[in-house]
Amino acid sequence: MRNGVLTIMKKELDRFFGDRRMVFSILMPGILIYVMYCFMGVAMGDAFGVDEDYTPTVRAAGLPASMEPLLQQTGFAVTAGEDEAAAREAVAAQTLDLLLVFPEDFDRITADYEVSSGLPAPNVEIYYNSAATSSAMAYQAVTGLLDAYEAQMVNKFDVNAGGGAYDLATVEDTAGSIFSMMMPLLLMMFLYSGCAAVAPESIAGEKERGTIATMLITPIRRSHIALGKILALAVIAMISAASSTVGTILSLPKMMGGLTDTVNAAIYGAREYLLLAAVILSTVLVMVTIISLLSAFAKTIKEAQTYAVPFMLLVMLLGISGMFGSSGEQGLWAYCIPLYNSVQCMTGIFSFSVLPAGVAVSLGANAAVTLAGVLVLARMFNSERIIFAK
C-alpha cells in the first residue's frame, strides 16, 4: 500500500513540476502580491506627503512680532502681506499653500484679554485648500504650533473659531479629487472585467470546441478575422464597462454619505465626457488585443483565464497608480506607455488638469499597439503549431 501511495505521489509531483506553467501558476500569486503591496506602499507615501525638498508657502497678514519666531520653526516660506483677497484667491487656485490672518495689534489684545470676561477671544484665521496635499500638510503643522502656543498662553486666543469658510477648496476641487482618486482604478477594473469575460471564449473557446478550423478555411483574410474579432469584442466589453461605470457614478454620492453637492458628476461637461469616451475606447481595444493574444496561445478557456491573471494584476497596479499621482507630472513620454497612459488621462480628466497633447499621444500609442496586436494575431492564426496545439 505504501509503495502504491508513493508511486502515485511521485507521478503527480513529476507531472506538476514538469510543467513550468503549473509551477508558475502556484508561485505567481505570492510574487505578484509582494510586488503590488510594495508598489502601494511607495505610492501611498508619495500621495500623502510632499517632496522632501518642497517648502510650503505661507502668507501672513498682520503678522505680530511674537509669532515670527514660532512660524520660523516650521521651516516654511513665510511672507508678510496685507492683500487678503488676493491671497485667498491664490490659496483657492493652489498657488499659495496657506494664508494666516491675525487680528490687528494681536500682541496687545491677547495680553489684555481676560478669559474670565466671557468675551470672544481674539481669533486667528487660517485659510487652506484641502484638495492640495501641501496645503493640508501645512495647515496641520501650523495649527498644531498655534494650538500649543495657545495652551501656553492659557487660551487667550482661538484658531479658526466661529465656523467660517476657511477651507477654500472649490466644489470642483473636492469632487475632482475624489473622482480622480477612485474612478481610474474602477474604470480599469470594469474595462478589464468586460474584456476578460468575452475574449477568452471567442478565441480559446473556439480552439477548445474545434470550430476555429472551420473559420480559418474560409476565404476571409486572417488579418480581417483578427480585426473583426477584436472590434466585436471591444463593442461587447464597452457595453459591459459602460453599464458598470454609470452605476458607479450614480451610486458615488450614496457611497460617500449622501454628499450630492460635492460628489456630483454633473460638474463635468461635454468636453470631459468626450475625452473620457475616446480614452476608454482606445483602452478597451488594447485590453482586448492583449487578452486575445494570450487566448490564442491557450488550448482551453481555463488556460486562457490563467494566462490573463498577471495581466489583471498589472491593470490593478496601473489603476492604483492613478489614486496616488496626478497627471502632468511626467513628460509626454509617459503617455506613450499603453494602459498607463490611459490612467494618466483619466486622472487628468477627472481632476480638470488634462493635457490635450497627452490625450492625443495616448490615443495614437494605443492605436499603434492595437494595430500591431492585430498583425501578430493574424500571424498566429497562420501558425498551425499555435492554433492546433494539443
Side-chain angles (χ1 to χ4, degrees), residues 178 250-264:
I178 294 173
L250 293 178
S251 64
L252 267 180
K254 300 293 184 183
M255 186 172 66
M256 300 300 294
L259 301 177
T260 54
D261 293 335
T262 301
V263 187
N264 191 339

Side-chain angles (χ1 to χ4, degrees), residues 132-387:
T133 302
S134 59
S135 180
M137 183 271 289
Y139 173 74
Q140 293 295 331
V142 172
T143 301
L145 281 176
L146 290 179
D147 286 343
Y149 186 67
E150 176 193 6
Q152 293 178 8
M153 295 183 65
V154 197
N155 301 323
K156 285 203 169 188
F157 69 92
D158 292 326
V159 177
N160 283 4
Y166 301 110
D167 185 357
L168 300 181
T170 64
V171 173
E172 288 78 11
D173 288 336
T174 305
S177 177
I178 294 173
F179 276 109
S180 64
M181 180 176 292
M182 300 179 62
M183 289 308 298
L185 172 60
L186 294 175
L187 278 173
M188 293 296 285
M189 292 309 302
F190 293 154
L191 296 177
Y192 172 82
S193 299
C195 296
V198 295
E201 197 281 333
S202 178
I203 297 178
E206 290 210 36
K207 290 177 65 176
E208 187 174 2
R209 294 188 298 269
T211 56
I212 195 169
T214 304
M215 179 182 60
L216 293 178
I217 63 174
T218 61
I220 304 175
R221 295 176 60 180
R222 301 297 168 85
S223 60
H224 291 177
I225 294 175
L227 183 59
K229 278 187 169 291
I230 287 175
L231 291 178
L233 294 172
V235 171
I236 298 172
M238 282 283 290
I239 294 173
S240 173
S243 173
S244 300
T245 302
V246 171
T248 300
I249 291 176
L250 293 178
S251 64
L252 267 180
K254 300 293 184 183
M255 186 172 66
M256 300 300 294
L259 301 177
T260 54
D261 293 335
T262 301
V263 187
N264 191 339
I267 63 173
Y268 299 105
R271 174 178 177 267
E272 285 77 25
Y273 284 114
L274 288 174
L275 288 174
L276 185 62
V279 171
I280 287 176
L281 177 59
S282 70
T283 305
V284 167
L285 289 172
V286 172
M287 287 186 177
V288 165
T289 300
I290 293 174
I291 298 178
S292 296
L293 291 172
L294 295 174
S295 299
F297 275 110
K299 303 181 184 69
T300 63
I301 296 177
K302 184 177 180 180
E303 187 176 340
Q305 292 170 340
T306 301
Y307 288 162
V309 170
F311 180 53
M312 177 191 69
L313 294 178
L314 173 63
V315 170
M316 289 180 60
L317 285 175
L318 294 175
I320 290 171
S321 72
M323 297 177 66
F324 307 118
S326 59
S327 65
E329 292 181 351
Q330 303 93 351
L332 286 179
W333 64 266
Y335 293 91
C336 296
I337 305 173
L339 300 184
Y340 179 73
N341 55 17
S342 301
V343 175
Q344 290 299 300
C345 289
M346 291 176 188
T347 302
I349 291 170
F350 284 117
S351 62
F352 299 98
S353 59
V354 63
L355 296 176
V359 175
V361 172
S362 298
L363 297 180
N366 290 346
V369 170
T370 301
L371 179 59
V374 168
L375 297 177
V376 172
L377 187 59
R379 292 181 65 87
M380 294 175 71
F381 284 160
N382 283 322
S383 173
E384 293 185 2
R385 184 175 61 86
I386 295 176
I387 297 301

